[in-house]
């Protein structure tokens, strides 16, 4: 805000006519129907100003991108109020306790398997798959606490978040927060959403491939990215890229608290499994578990976003922005568990602090709001969603090739 509009007389007139208010004045005179706008660090009462000046609505709309008086924004606020009245932001603590319990039970079963049956190939593979499942589920659970959607007090959410992502997964809560909150604020926006920063390995969406093609950028043969995705996507993201990035980030930023939590995970793992495999064998075993988990993580996280619009930042209201970048996967008991309820990615992006077990309850109301404003609400079967990832990469790769070969 504050960058739009024509410069010159129009800008001067707006600054001269629009009165500013201190926060104390706002608190005294603020009405539920008033709308406020911040431009260049000044606060304006949009409702009062636009009602007193001819063409005020047009000027404010031009300056604020229509957001100040947007009907869909008002409808979304009403929807959020409805969700609050339905107590959909209240969490079921038993639900989250059982999720944590089943993760710990899996770790106990894994230890029992290797202890009872020995370190042969079959027990080793069984243990690895059990631990990979435990790691994936811990990843979904830390996501709940990271969004402060379990406890009313943020302090308790932060503590449990550090325990799960640090002690149960060997990662960093601060690293995750830094990346993930950017993703929620600007989903699928180049240079602002780290989840679409592919470091020249992949080209995504419809704009980036054409830009790369016209500039003759060819870091990799992008027309084959839907094929090499299977080699350098799911297999290596967690065991190579994330594992290295997380450790280096904690060290460089001197995040000693998160580093201590992560160290407790690695200490526990090596104390547990080194007697069966030796130190080198335990390292290989750990990375094999990460390898399995990485496939699970990549396919689930990409099925909701990579197939949607990926672009620079066009102006949209919050509701429309999330719908353009996000799609859902059909509900079932397995899909809910398999994806950590990220199959309700649309509702999660609209209400990030809503406990995941309530997302299905608000979904019908979100669909109704989309229908009212003609916004597409995409929901698909799980297998279709996974296949669409490859289709999206193929399409983007072909767009790159066409632009690259264009004279």
């Amino acid at each position: 805000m504050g960058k739009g509009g024509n410069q010159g007389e129009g800008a001067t007139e707006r600054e001269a006519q629009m009165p500013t208010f201190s926060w104390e004045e706002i608190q005294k005179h603020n009405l539920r129907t008033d709308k406020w706008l911040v431009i260049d660090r000044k606060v304006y009462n949009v409702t009062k100003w636009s009602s007193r000046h001819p063409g005020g609505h047009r000027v404010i709309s031009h300056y604020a991108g229509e957001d100040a008086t947007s009907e869909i924004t008002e409808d979304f606020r009403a929807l959020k109020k409805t969700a609050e009245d339905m107590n959909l932001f209240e969490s079921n603590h038993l639900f989250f306790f059982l999720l944590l319990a089943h993760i710990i039970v899996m770790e106990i079963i894994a230890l029992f398997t290797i202890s009872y049956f020995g370190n042969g190939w079959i027990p080793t593979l069984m243990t690895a798959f059990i631990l990979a499942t435990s790691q994936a589920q811990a990843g979904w659970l830390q996501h709940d606490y990271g969004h402060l959607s379990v406890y009313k007090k943020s302090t308790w959410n932060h503590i449990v978040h550090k325990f799960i992502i640090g002690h149960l997964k060997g990662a960093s809560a601060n690293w995750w927060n830094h990346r993930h909150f950017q993703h929620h604020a600007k989903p699928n926006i180049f240079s602002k959403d780290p989840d679409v920063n592919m470091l020249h390995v992949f080209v995504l969406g419809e704009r980036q491939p054409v830009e790369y093609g016209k500039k003759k950028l060819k870091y990799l043969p992008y027309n084959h990215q839907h094929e090499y995705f299977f080699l350098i996507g799911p297999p290596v993201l967690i065991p190579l890229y994330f594992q290295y990035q997380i450790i280096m980030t904690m060290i460089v930023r001197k995040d000693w608290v998160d580093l201590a939590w992560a160290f407790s995970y690695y200490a526990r793992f090596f104390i547990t499994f080194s007697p069966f495999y030796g130190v080198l064998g335990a390292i290989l075993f750990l990375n094999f578990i990460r390898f399995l988990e990485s496939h699970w993580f990549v396919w689930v996280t990409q099925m909701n976003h990579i197939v949607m619009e990926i672009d620079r930042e066009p102006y949209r209201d919050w509701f429309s922005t999330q719908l353009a970048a996000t799609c859902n996967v059909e509900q079932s008991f397995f899909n809910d568990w398999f994806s950590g309820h990220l199959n309700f990615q649309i509702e999660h992006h609209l209400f990030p602090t809503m406990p995941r077990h309530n997302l299905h309850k608000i979904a019908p109301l979100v669909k109704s709001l989309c229908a009212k404003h003609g916004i597409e609400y995409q929901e698909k079967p799980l297998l279709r969603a996974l296949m669409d990832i490859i289709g999206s990469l193929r399409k983007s790769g072909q767009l790159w090739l066409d632009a690259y070969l264009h004279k």
Side-chain angles (χ1 to χ4, degrees):
M1 292 183 179
K3 296 181 182 179
N6 298 323
Q7 301 301 316
E9 294 183 2
T12 303
E13 181 182 356
R14 286 193 293 271
E15 293 175 0
Q17 292 183 0
M18 293 180 66
T20 61
F21 298 83
S22 68
W23 284 113
E24 289 75 15
E25 291 174 310
I26 291 173
Q27 295 300 320
K28 290 180 181 179
H29 303 290
N30 187 23
L31 301 176
R32 290 179 60 86
T33 56
D34 284 349
K35 299 169 185 174
W36 299 88
L37 176 65
V38 179
I39 302 176
D40 298 330
R41 299 183 181 181
K42 296 179 181 180
V43 183
Y44 302 97
N45 188 314
V46 176
T47 304
K48 293 180 181 178
W49 184 84
S50 59
S51 65
R52 294 172 183 172
H53 297 272
H57 171 78
R58 176 182 55 78
V59 174
I60 289 296
S61 297
H62 181 70
Y63 215 126
E66 299 288 349
D67 190 49
T69 54
S70 171
E71 180 184 359
I72 192 170
T73 299
E74 293 302 316
D75 285 348
F76 177 66
R77 288 172 180 164
L79 177 60
K80 184 178 180 181
K81 180 64 168 58
T82 299
E84 292 171 349
D85 293 341
M86 294 171 64
N87 295 320
L88 297 185
F89 290 94
E90 298 293 326
S91 67
N92 182 334
H93 295 298
L94 178 61
F95 174 86
F96 290 104
F97 172 79
L98 292 176
L99 286 176
L100 178 59
H102 100 293
I103 292 169
I104 296 175
V105 167
M106 280 189 283
E107 296 215 356
I108 294 173
I109 293 174
L111 179 58
F112 171 80
T113 300
I114 207 72
S115 300
Y116 187 81
F117 295 103
N119 59 357
W121 281 106
I122 294 179
T124 296
L125 289 174
M126 290 176 58
T127 302
F129 276 97
I130 294 171
L131 289 177
T133 303
S134 172
Q135 286 291 292
Q137 290 300 315
W140 308 145
L141 186 58
Q142 67 82 24
H143 177 265
D144 298 308
Y145 289 92
H147 273 290
L148 312 180
S149 63
V150 181
Y151 299 113
K152 291 183 179 180
K153 290 187 177 180
S154 60
T155 301
W156 284 106
N157 284 293
H158 289 309
I159 292 174
V160 180
H161 185 217
K162 286 184 180 295
F163 168 76
I164 295 175
I165 197 173
H167 184 67
L168 295 185
K169 289 190 62 62
S172 165
N174 290 335
W175 168 86
W176 183 87
N177 286 336
H178 179 72
R179 284 182 57 95
H180 197 66
F181 293 165
Q182 291 180 76
H183 162 68
H184 268 268
K186 303 291 183 179
N188 285 14
I189 301 300
F190 287 122
S191 77
K192 296 186 178 182
D193 180 359
D195 287 3
V196 296
N197 178 20
M198 296 297 176
L199 304 174
H200 306 303
V201 176
F202 301 99
V203 289
L204 305 176
E206 297 183 356
R207 178 190 292 266
Q208 186 188 43
V210 175
E211 290 180 351
Y212 272 47
K214 289 181 177 179
K215 294 178 181 179
K216 306 304 179 185
L217 298 178
K218 187 181 180 180
Y219 297 97
L220 286 171
Y222 298 121
N223 52 310
H224 294 289
Q225 64 179 6
H226 61 288
E227 298 169 338
Y228 66 69
F229 170 78
F230 292 93
L231 299 176
I232 61 176
V236 304
L237 181 65
I238 290 180
L240 291 183
Y241 181 65
F242 272 1
Q243 195 165 223
Y244 170 79
Q245 186 189 56
I246 290 170
I247 294 174
M248 291 305 300
T249 299
M250 290 188 291
I251 294 174
V252 170
R253 295 182 180 177
K254 299 180 180 180
D255 192 353
W256 308 130
V257 173
D258 279 13
L259 191 61
W261 278 110
F263 177 80
S264 72
Y265 165 80
Y266 287 103
R268 177 170 58 87
F269 185 90
F270 284 104
I271 290 173
T272 302
F273 293 103
S274 291
F276 299 99
Y277 300 104
V279 175
L280 179 59
I283 293 174
L284 294 175
F285 186 52
L286 171 63
N287 281 280
F288 181 61
I289 295 169
R290 299 283 199 217
F291 168 82
L292 296 174
E293 179 201 358
S294 188
H295 282 79
W296 193 330
F297 174 82
V298 171
W299 286 100
V300 169
T301 56
Q302 297 308 307
M303 68 183 183
N304 298 116
H305 292 294
I306 198 174
V307 300
M308 302 299 289
E309 176 186 300
I310 304 175
D311 208 336
R312 305 298 178 187
E313 188 172 10
Y315 173 79
R316 287 194 185 100
D317 55 84
W318 171 262
F319 186 87
S320 301
T321 296
Q322 305 306 317
L323 267 295
T326 312
C327 66
N328 275 10
V329 172
E330 292 178 350
Q331 183 186 25
S332 71
F333 177 81
F334 175 79
N335 288 354
D336 292 352
W337 174 84
F338 181 74
S339 67
H341 287 84
L342 295 183
N343 50 328
F344 288 98
Q345 189 74 207
I346 292 174
E347 288 72 25
H348 170 62
H349 266 255
L350 293 175
F351 307 101
T353 60
M354 183 177 291
R356 63 157 108 162
H357 53 73
N358 287 333
L359 294 175
H360 74 280
K361 298 177 182 179
I362 197 66
L365 301 182
V366 174
K367 291 180 182 179
S368 297
L369 186 54
C370 287
K372 175 182 178 181
H373 292 279
I375 298 174
E376 185 178 10
Y377 182 103
Q378 290 197 34
E379 185 179 37
K380 60 189 74 171
L382 177 61
L383 183 59
R384 169 67 183 281
L386 298 177
M387 293 174 61
D388 282 351
I389 296 174
I390 304 304
S392 174
L393 291 173
R394 181 188 291 110
K395 178 181 177 182
S396 296
Q398 187 61 48
L399 288 172
W400 169 82
L401 182 62
D402 292 343
Y404 186 84
L405 297 178
H406 183 71
K407 301 297 184 181

